[in-house]
Coordinates of all heavy atoms in Angstrom, one line a residue:
M1 N 65.7 170.8 121.6 CA 66.3 170.5 122.8 C 65.6 171.4 123.9 O 65.4 172.6 123.7 CB 67.8 170.9 122.9 CG 68.7 170.1 121.9 SD 70.4 170.4 122.1 CE 70.5 172.0 121.3
R2 N 65.3 170.8 125.0 CA 64.5 171.4 126.1 C 65.4 171.4 127.4 O 66.0 170.4 127.7 CB 63.2 170.7 126.4 CG 62.2 170.8 125.2 CD 61.7 172.1 125.1 NE 60.9 172.3 123.8 CZ 60.3 173.4 123.5 NH1 60.3 174.4 124.3 NH2 59.6 173.4 122.4
C3 N 65.3 172.5 128.1 CA 66.0 172.6 129.3 C 65.4 171.6 130.4 O 64.1 171.6 130.6 CB 65.9 174.0 129.8 SG 66.5 174.3 131.5
P4 N 66.2 170.8 131.1 CA 65.7 169.9 132.1 C 65.0 170.6 133.3 O 64.2 170.1 134.0 CB 66.9 169.1 132.6 CG 67.9 169.3 131.6 CD 67.6 170.7 130.9
L5 N 65.4 171.8 133.5 CA 64.9 172.6 134.7 C 63.5 173.4 134.4 O 62.6 173.3 135.2 CB 65.9 173.6 135.2 CG 67.1 173.0 135.8 CD1 68.2 174.0 136.1 CD2 66.8 172.1 137.0
C6 N 63.5 174.0 133.2 CA 62.3 174.8 133.0 C 61.6 174.5 131.7 O 60.5 175.1 131.3 CB 62.7 176.3 132.9 SG 63.7 176.8 131.5
S7 N 62.1 173.5 130.9 CA 61.5 173.1 129.6 C 61.6 174.1 128.6 O 61.0 174.0 127.5 CB 60.0 172.6 129.8 OG 59.9 171.5 130.7
G8 N 62.4 175.2 128.8 CA 62.6 176.1 127.7 C 63.6 175.6 126.7 O 64.3 174.7 127.0
P9 N 63.6 176.3 125.5 CA 64.5 175.8 124.5 C 65.9 176.0 124.9 O 66.3 177.0 125.5 CB 64.1 176.7 123.3 CG 63.4 177.8 123.8 CD 62.8 177.4 125.1
V10 N 66.8 175.0 124.5 CA 68.2 175.1 124.9 C 69.0 175.4 123.6 O 68.7 174.8 122.5 CB 68.7 173.8 125.4 CG1 70.2 173.7 125.6 CG2 68.0 173.6 126.8
R11 N 69.9 176.3 123.6 CA 70.7 176.6 122.5 C 72.2 176.5 122.8 O 72.6 176.5 124.0 CB 70.5 178.0 122.0 CG 69.0 178.3 121.7 CD 68.9 179.5 120.8 NE 67.5 180.0 120.7 CZ 66.5 179.3 120.4 NH1 66.5 178.0 120.1 NH2 65.2 179.8 120.3
E12 N 73.0 176.2 121.8 CA 74.5 176.2 122.1 C 75.0 177.5 121.7 O 74.7 178.0 120.6 CB 75.1 175.0 121.2 CG 76.6 174.9 121.5 CD 77.2 173.7 120.7 OE1 76.5 173.2 119.8 OE2 78.3 173.4 121.0
A13 N 75.8 178.1 122.5 CA 76.5 179.3 122.2 C 77.8 179.4 123.0 O 77.9 179.1 124.2 CB 75.6 180.6 122.6
D14 N 78.8 179.8 122.3 CA 80.2 179.9 122.9 C 80.7 178.6 123.6 O 81.2 178.7 124.7 CB 80.2 181.1 123.9 CG 79.8 182.4 123.3 OD1 80.2 182.6 122.1 OD2 79.2 183.3 124.0
G15 N 80.3 177.5 123.0 CA 80.7 176.2 123.5 C 79.9 175.7 124.7 O 80.4 174.8 125.4
R16 N 78.9 176.4 125.1 CA 78.1 175.9 126.2 C 76.6 175.8 125.8 O 76.1 176.5 124.9 CB 78.3 176.7 127.4 CG 77.7 178.1 127.3 CD 78.0 179.0 128.5 NE 77.1 180.2 128.5 CZ 76.1 180.4 129.2 NH1 75.7 179.4 130.0 NH2 75.3 181.5 129.1
L17 N 75.9 174.9 126.6 CA 74.5 174.8 126.3 C 73.7 175.5 127.4 O 74.0 175.3 128.6 CB 74.1 173.2 126.4 CG 74.7 172.4 125.3 CD1 74.5 170.9 125.6 CD2 74.1 172.7 123.9
A18 N 72.8 176.3 127.0 CA 72.0 177.1 128.0 C 70.6 177.4 127.5 O 70.4 177.5 126.2 CB 72.7 178.3 128.4
C19 N 69.6 177.4 128.4 CA 68.3 177.8 127.9 C 68.2 179.4 127.9 O 69.1 180.1 128.3 CB 67.2 177.2 128.8 SG 67.1 178.0 130.5
E20 N 67.0 179.8 127.5 CA 66.8 181.3 127.4 C 66.8 182.0 128.7 O 67.1 183.2 128.8 CB 65.6 181.6 126.5 CG 65.7 181.1 125.1 CD 64.5 181.5 124.2 OE1 63.5 182.1 124.8 OE2 64.5 181.2 123.1
V21 N 66.5 181.2 129.8 CA 66.4 181.8 131.1 C 67.8 181.9 131.6 O 68.1 182.8 132.5 CB 65.6 180.9 132.1 CG1 65.6 181.4 133.5 CG2 64.2 180.9 131.6
G22 N 68.7 181.1 131.1 CA 70.1 181.1 131.6 C 70.6 179.9 132.3 O 71.7 179.8 132.8
H23 N 69.7 178.9 132.4 CA 70.2 177.6 133.0 C 71.2 177.0 132.2 O 71.0 176.7 131.0 CB 69.0 176.6 133.2 CG 67.9 177.1 134.1 ND1 66.6 177.1 133.7 CD2 67.9 177.6 135.3 CE1 65.8 177.5 134.7 NE2 66.6 177.9 135.7
E24 N 72.4 176.7 132.8 CA 73.4 176.0 132.0 C 73.1 174.6 132.1 O 72.9 174.0 133.1 CB 74.8 176.4 132.5 CG 75.9 176.1 131.5 CD 77.1 177.0 131.8 OE1 77.0 178.0 132.3 OE2 78.2 176.4 131.3
V25 N 73.2 173.9 131.0 CA 72.8 172.5 130.9 C 74.0 171.6 130.5 O 74.7 171.8 129.5 CB 71.7 172.3 129.8 CG1 71.2 170.9 129.8 CG2 70.5 173.2 130.1
A26 N 74.2 170.6 131.3 CA 75.3 169.6 131.1 C 74.8 168.6 129.9 O 73.6 168.3 129.9 CB 75.6 168.8 132.4
E27 N 75.7 168.2 129.2 CA 75.3 167.3 128.1 C 74.6 166.0 128.6 O 73.6 165.6 128.0 CB 76.6 166.9 127.2 CG 77.1 168.0 126.4 CD 78.3 167.7 125.6 OE1 78.7 166.4 125.6 OE2 78.9 168.6 125.0
D28 N 75.2 165.4 129.7 CA 74.5 164.2 130.2 C 73.1 164.5 130.7 O 72.2 163.7 130.5 CB 75.3 163.6 131.4 CG 76.6 162.9 130.9 OD1 76.7 162.7 129.7 OD2 77.5 162.7 131.8
D29 N 72.9 165.6 131.4 CA 71.5 166.0 131.8 C 70.6 166.2 130.6 O 69.4 165.8 130.6 CB 71.5 167.2 132.7 CG 72.3 167.0 134.0 OD1 72.4 165.8 134.4 OD2 72.6 168.0 134.6
L30 N 71.1 166.8 129.5 CA 70.3 167.1 128.4 C 70.0 165.8 127.7 O 68.7 165.6 127.4 CB 71.1 168.0 127.4 CG 70.3 168.4 126.2 CD1 69.2 169.2 126.5 CD2 71.3 169.2 125.2
R31 N 70.9 164.9 127.7 CA 70.6 163.5 127.0 C 69.5 162.8 127.9 O 68.6 162.2 127.3 CB 71.8 162.8 126.9 CG 71.6 161.4 126.3 CD 72.9 160.7 126.0 NE 72.6 159.4 125.4 CZ 73.5 158.6 124.9 NH1 74.8 158.9 125.0 NH2 73.2 157.5 124.4
E32 N 69.8 162.8 129.2 CA 68.9 162.1 130.1 C 67.4 162.6 130.0 O 66.4 161.9 129.9 CB 69.3 162.1 131.5 CG 68.6 161.2 132.5 CD 69.3 161.3 133.8 OE1 70.5 161.0 133.9 OE2 68.6 161.5 134.8
S33 N 67.3 164.0 130.0 CA 66.0 164.6 130.0 C 65.3 164.4 128.6 O 64.1 164.2 128.5 CB 66.0 166.0 130.4 OG 66.6 166.8 129.4
T34 N 66.1 164.4 127.6 CA 65.5 164.2 126.2 C 65.1 162.7 126.1 O 63.9 162.5 125.6 CB 66.7 164.4 125.1 OG1 67.1 165.8 125.3 CG2 66.1 164.2 123.7
D35 N 65.8 161.7 126.7 CA 65.3 160.3 126.6 C 64.0 160.2 127.4 O 63.1 159.5 127.0 CB 66.4 159.4 127.2 CG 67.5 159.1 126.3 OD1 67.4 159.4 125.1 OD2 68.5 158.5 126.7
A36 N 63.9 160.9 128.6 CA 62.8 160.8 129.4 C 61.5 161.4 128.7 O 60.5 160.9 128.8 CB 63.0 161.5 130.8
R37 N 61.8 162.5 128.0 CA 60.6 163.1 127.3 C 60.2 162.3 126.1 O 59.0 162.2 125.9 CB 61.1 164.6 126.7 CG 61.2 165.6 127.8 CD 61.8 166.9 127.2 NE 61.3 167.3 125.9 CZ 60.2 168.0 125.7 NH1 59.5 168.5 126.7 NH2 59.8 168.3 124.4
L38 N 61.1 161.7 125.4 CA 60.8 160.8 124.3 C 60.0 159.6 124.9 O 59.0 159.2 124.3 CB 62.1 160.3 123.6 CG 61.8 159.2 122.5 CD1 60.9 159.7 121.4 CD2 63.2 158.8 122.0
A39 N 60.5 159.0 126.0 CA 59.8 157.8 126.6 C 58.4 158.2 126.9 O 57.4 157.5 126.6 CB 60.5 157.3 127.8
E40 N 58.2 159.4 127.6 CA 56.9 159.8 128.0 C 56.0 160.0 126.8 O 54.8 159.6 126.8 CB 57.0 161.1 128.8 CG 55.6 161.6 129.3 CD 55.8 162.8 130.2 OE1 57.0 163.2 130.6 OE2 54.8 163.5 130.4
A41 N 56.5 160.6 125.7 CA 55.7 160.9 124.6 C 55.3 159.5 123.9 O 54.1 159.3 123.5 CB 56.5 161.8 123.5
L42 N 56.2 158.6 123.8 CA 55.9 157.3 123.2 C 54.9 156.5 124.0 O 53.9 156.0 123.4 CB 57.2 156.5 123.0 CG 58.1 156.9 122.0 CD1 59.5 156.2 122.1 CD2 57.5 156.7 120.6
W43 N 55.0 156.5 125.3 CA 54.0 155.8 126.1 C 52.6 156.5 126.1 O 51.6 155.8 126.2 CB 54.5 155.6 127.5 CG 55.5 154.6 127.6 CD1 56.8 154.7 127.9 CD2 55.3 153.2 127.3 NE1 57.5 153.5 127.8 CE2 56.7 152.6 127.4 CE3 54.3 152.4 126.9 CZ2 56.8 151.2 127.1 CZ3 54.5 151.1 126.6 CH2 55.7 150.5 126.8
M44 N 52.6 157.8 125.9 CA 51.3 158.5 125.7 C 50.7 158.1 124.4 O 49.5 157.8 124.3 CB 51.5 160.0 125.7 CG 51.8 160.5 127.2 SD 52.1 162.3 127.2 CE 50.5 163.0 126.6
A45 N 51.5 157.9 123.4 CA 51.0 157.5 122.0 C 50.5 156.0 122.1 O 49.5 155.7 121.5 CB 52.1 157.6 121.0
I46 N 51.3 155.2 122.8 CA 50.8 153.8 123.0 C 49.5 153.7 123.7 O 48.6 153.0 123.2 CB 51.9 153.0 123.8 CG1 53.2 152.9 122.9 CG2 51.4 151.7 124.1 CD1 54.4 152.4 123.6
E47 N 49.4 154.5 124.8 CA 48.2 154.5 125.5 C 47.0 155.0 124.7 O 45.9 154.4 124.7 CB 48.3 155.4 126.8 CG 47.1 155.4 127.7 CD 47.3 156.2 128.9 OE1 48.4 156.3 129.4 OE2 46.3 156.8 129.4
A48 N 47.2 156.0 123.9 CA 46.2 156.6 123.1 C 45.7 155.6 122.0 O 44.5 155.5 121.7 CB 46.7 158.0 122.4
L49 N 46.7 154.9 121.4 CA 46.3 154.0 120.3 C 45.6 152.8 120.9 O 44.7 152.2 120.4 CB 47.6 153.5 119.7 CG 48.2 154.4 118.6 CD1 49.6 154.1 118.2 CD2 47.3 154.5 117.4
D50 N 46.1 152.3 122.1 CA 45.3 151.3 122.8 C 43.9 151.6 123.1 O 42.9 150.9 122.9 CB 46.0 150.9 124.2 CG 47.2 149.9 124.0 OD1 47.3 149.3 122.9 OD2 48.0 149.9 124.9
S51 N 43.7 152.9 123.6 CA 42.3 153.4 123.9 C 41.5 153.4 122.6 O 40.3 153.1 122.6 CB 42.4 154.8 124.5 OG 42.9 154.7 125.8
E52 N 42.1 153.9 121.5 CA 41.4 154.0 120.2 C 41.0 152.6 119.7 O 39.9 152.4 119.3 CB 42.3 154.7 119.2 CG 41.6 154.9 117.8 CD 42.5 155.5 116.8 OE1 43.6 155.1 116.6 OE2 42.0 156.4 116.1
A53 N 41.9 151.7 119.9 CA 41.6 150.3 119.4 C 40.4 149.8 120.3 O 39.5 149.1 119.7 CB 42.8 149.4 119.6
Q54 N 40.4 150.0 121.6 CA 39.3 149.6 122.4 C 38.0 150.2 122.0 O 37.0 149.5 121.9 CB 39.6 149.8 123.9 CG 40.7 148.9 124.4 CD 41.0 149.4 125.9 OE1 40.3 150.0 126.6 NE2 42.2 148.9 126.3
V55 N 38.0 151.5 121.8 CA 36.8 152.3 121.4 C 36.3 151.8 120.0 O 35.0 151.5 119.9 CB 37.0 153.8 121.5 CG1 35.9 154.5 120.8 CG2 37.2 154.3 122.8
L56 N 37.2 151.7 119.1 CA 36.8 151.3 117.8 C 36.2 149.9 117.8 O 35.3 149.5 117.1 CB 37.9 151.4 116.8 CG 38.3 152.9 116.5 CD1 39.6 152.9 115.6 CD2 37.2 153.6 115.8
G57 N 36.8 149.0 118.7 CA 36.4 147.6 118.8 C 35.0 147.6 119.4 O 34.1 146.8 118.9
L58 N 34.7 148.5 120.4 CA 33.4 148.5 121.0 C 32.3 149.1 120.0 O 31.2 148.5 119.8 CB 33.3 149.4 122.2 CG 34.0 148.9 123.5 CD1 34.0 150.0 124.6 CD2 33.0 147.8 124.0
L59 N 32.7 150.1 119.3 CA 31.8 150.8 118.3 C 31.5 149.9 117.1 O 30.4 150.0 116.5 CB 32.3 152.1 117.9 CG 32.4 153.2 119.0 CD1 33.0 154.5 118.5 CD2 31.0 153.4 119.7
G60 N 32.5 149.0 116.8 CA 32.3 148.3 115.5 C 32.1 146.8 115.7 O 32.2 146.0 114.9
R61 N 31.5 146.5 117.0 CA 31.2 145.1 117.2 C 30.2 144.6 116.1 O 29.3 145.2 115.8 CB 30.5 145.0 118.6 CG 31.5 144.8 119.7 CD 30.8 144.5 120.9 NE 30.0 145.8 121.3 CZ 29.7 146.1 122.5 NH1 30.1 145.4 123.5 NH2 29.0 147.2 122.8
G62 N 30.5 143.4 115.6 CA 29.6 142.8 114.7 C 29.9 143.2 113.3 O 29.2 142.8 112.3
S63 N 30.8 144.1 113.0 CA 31.1 144.6 111.7 C 32.6 144.5 111.4 O 33.3 144.0 112.2 CB 30.6 146.0 111.4 OG 31.2 146.9 112.3
D64 N 33.0 145.0 110.3 CA 34.4 145.0 109.9 C 35.2 145.9 110.9 O 34.9 147.1 111.0 CB 34.6 145.5 108.5 CG 36.0 145.6 108.1 OD1 36.9 145.0 108.8 OD2 36.3 146.2 107.1
N65 N 36.2 145.4 111.7 CA 36.9 146.1 112.6 C 38.3 146.4 112.2 O 39.3 146.4 112.9 CB 37.0 145.3 114.0 CG 36.0 145.7 115.0 OD1 35.4 146.7 114.8 ND2 35.8 145.0 116.0
R66 N 38.4 146.7 110.9 CA 39.7 147.0 110.3 C 40.4 148.2 111.0 O 41.6 148.1 111.3 CB 39.5 147.4 108.8 CG 40.8 147.6 108.1 CD 40.5 147.7 106.5 NE 39.3 148.5 106.2 CZ 39.3 149.8 105.9 NH1 40.4 150.4 105.8 NH2 38.2 150.4 105.6
F67 N 39.6 149.2 111.3 CA 40.3 150.4 112.0 C 40.8 150.1 113.4 O 41.8 150.5 113.8 CB 39.3 151.6 112.0 CG 39.0 152.1 110.6 CD1 37.6 152.0 110.2 CD2 39.9 152.6 109.7 CE1 37.3 152.4 108.9 CE2 39.6 153.0 108.5 CZ 38.3 152.9 108.1
A68 N 40.0 149.3 114.1 CA 40.5 148.8 115.5 C 41.7 148.0 115.3 O 42.6 148.1 116.1 CB 39.3 148.1 116.2
D69 N 41.7 147.1 114.3 CA 42.9 146.2 114.2 C 44.1 147.0 113.8 O 45.2 146.8 114.3 CB 42.6 145.2 113.0 CG 41.5 144.1 113.4 OD1 41.2 144.0 114.6 OD2 41.0 143.5 112.6
D70 N 43.9 148.1 112.9 CA 45.0 148.9 112.6 C 45.6 149.7 113.9 O 46.8 149.7 114.0 CB 44.6 150.0 111.6 CG 44.4 149.4 110.2 OD1 44.8 148.3 110.0 OD2 43.8 150.1 109.3
A71 N 44.7 150.2 114.7 CA 45.2 150.9 115.9 C 45.9 150.0 116.8 O 46.9 150.3 117.4 CB 44.0 151.5 116.6
A72 N 45.3 148.7 116.9 CA 46.0 147.8 117.9 C 47.3 147.4 117.3 O 48.3 147.2 118.1 CB 45.1 146.5 118.0
S73 N 47.5 147.1 116.0 CA 48.8 146.7 115.5 C 49.8 147.9 115.6 O 50.9 147.7 115.8 CB 48.7 146.2 114.1 OG 48.5 147.2 113.1
Q74 N 49.3 149.2 115.4 CA 50.2 150.3 115.6 C 50.7 150.4 117.1 O 51.8 150.7 117.3 CB 49.5 151.6 115.1 CG 49.4 151.6 113.6 CD 48.4 152.7 113.1 OE1 47.8 153.4 113.9 NE2 48.2 152.7 111.9
A75 N 49.8 150.2 117.9 CA 50.1 150.3 119.4 C 51.1 149.2 119.7 O 52.0 149.4 120.6 CB 48.8 150.2 120.3
A76 N 51.0 148.0 119.1 CA 51.9 146.9 119.4 C 53.4 147.2 118.9 O 54.3 146.7 119.4 CB 51.4 145.6 118.8
M77 N 53.4 148.0 117.8 CA 54.7 148.3 117.2 C 55.5 149.4 118.0 O 56.8 149.3 118.1 CB 54.6 148.8 115.7 CG 54.1 147.8 114.7 SD 54.2 148.5 113.0 CE 53.3 150.0 113.2
L78 N 54.8 150.2 118.7 CA 55.5 151.3 119.4 C 56.4 150.9 120.5 O 57.5 151.5 120.7 CB 54.5 152.4 119.8 CG 54.0 153.3 118.7 CD1 53.0 154.3 119.2 CD2 55.1 154.1 118.1
P79 N 56.1 149.9 121.4 CA 57.0 149.5 122.4 C 58.4 149.1 121.9 O 59.4 149.4 122.5 CB 56.3 148.3 123.1 CG 54.8 148.6 122.9 CD 54.8 149.3 121.5
D80 N 58.4 148.3 120.7 CA 59.8 148.0 120.1 C 60.5 149.3 119.7 O 61.7 149.4 120.0 CB 59.5 147.1 118.9 CG 59.2 145.7 119.2 OD1 59.5 145.4 120.5 OD2 58.8 145.0 118.4
F81 N 59.7 150.2 119.1 CA 60.4 151.5 118.7 C 60.9 152.2 120.0 O 62.0 152.7 120.0 CB 59.4 152.4 118.0 CG 59.9 153.7 117.6 CD1 60.6 153.8 116.4 CD2 59.6 154.8 118.4 CE1 61.1 155.0 116.0 CE2 60.1 156.1 118.0 CZ 60.8 156.2 116.8
A82 N 60.1 152.2 121.0 CA 60.5 152.9 122.3 C 61.7 152.3 122.9 O 62.6 153.0 123.3 CB 59.3 152.8 123.3
R83 N 61.8 150.9 122.8 CA 63.0 150.2 123.4 C 64.2 150.5 122.6 O 65.3 150.7 123.1 CB 62.7 148.7 123.4 CG 61.9 148.2 124.5 CD 61.8 146.7 124.5 NE 60.6 146.3 125.1 CZ 59.5 146.0 124.4 NH1 59.6 145.8 123.1 NH2 58.3 145.6 125.0
R84 N 64.1 150.6 121.3 CA 65.3 150.9 120.4 C 65.8 152.4 120.6 O 67.0 152.7 120.6 CB 65.0 150.7 119.0 CG 65.1 149.2 118.7 CD 64.9 148.9 117.2 NE 63.5 148.8 116.8 CZ 62.9 149.6 115.9 NH1 63.6 150.4 115.2 NH2 61.6 149.4 115.7
H85 N 64.9 153.3 120.9 CA 65.2 154.7 120.9 C 65.3 155.4 122.2 O 65.8 156.5 122.4 CB 64.3 155.5 120.0 CG 64.4 155.2 118.5 ND1 65.3 155.8 117.7 CD2 63.8 154.2 117.8 CE1 65.3 155.3 116.5 NE2 64.4 154.3 116.6
A86 N 64.9 154.7 123.3 CA 65.1 155.2 124.6 C 65.4 153.9 125.5 O 64.5 153.3 126.0 CB 63.8 155.8 125.1
G87 N 66.7 153.7 125.6 CA 67.2 152.5 126.1 C 66.7 152.1 127.6 O 66.7 151.0 128.0
H88 N 66.3 153.0 128.4 CA 65.9 152.8 129.8 C 64.5 152.4 129.9 O 64.0 152.2 131.0 CB 66.2 154.0 130.6 CG 65.5 155.2 130.3 ND1 65.9 156.0 129.2 CD2 64.4 155.7 130.8 CE1 65.0 157.0 129.2 NE2 64.1 156.8 130.1
I89 N 63.7 152.3 128.9 CA 62.3 152.0 128.9 C 62.1 150.5 129.2 O 62.7 149.7 128.6 CB 61.6 152.3 127.6 CG1 61.6 153.8 127.4 CG2 60.1 151.8 127.7 CD1 61.0 154.3 126.1
D90 N 61.3 150.2 130.2 CA 60.9 148.8 130.4 C 59.5 148.6 129.9 O 58.6 149.5 130.3 CB 60.9 148.4 131.9 CG 62.4 148.2 132.3 OD1 63.2 147.8 131.5 OD2 62.6 148.6 133.5
A91 N 59.2 147.7 129.1 CA 57.8 147.4 128.6 C 57.4 146.1 128.8 O 58.2 145.2 129.0 CB 57.8 147.8 127.2
Ligands
LIG1 ZN1 66.0 176.5 131.8

């Protein structure tokens, strides 16, 4: 769990959530920021896989493009995963 204000680790102590700096974190804010971080990470992965598929496709023109096809199919699976695990994502 990361603090929405400073990205520091959040811990639960004495019935409250707070980061090491002392920012007290509301449960709704923690959930919202965690969803946003997950969405950002997933879209970064999707973009990286798309780029890899394009590069492998360029480099492997005229030969077996199995690796490019693998990267493209993995990139195609991630938006579904993103929609299921971070409900506010539009793809
Ligand atoms: Zn903090």
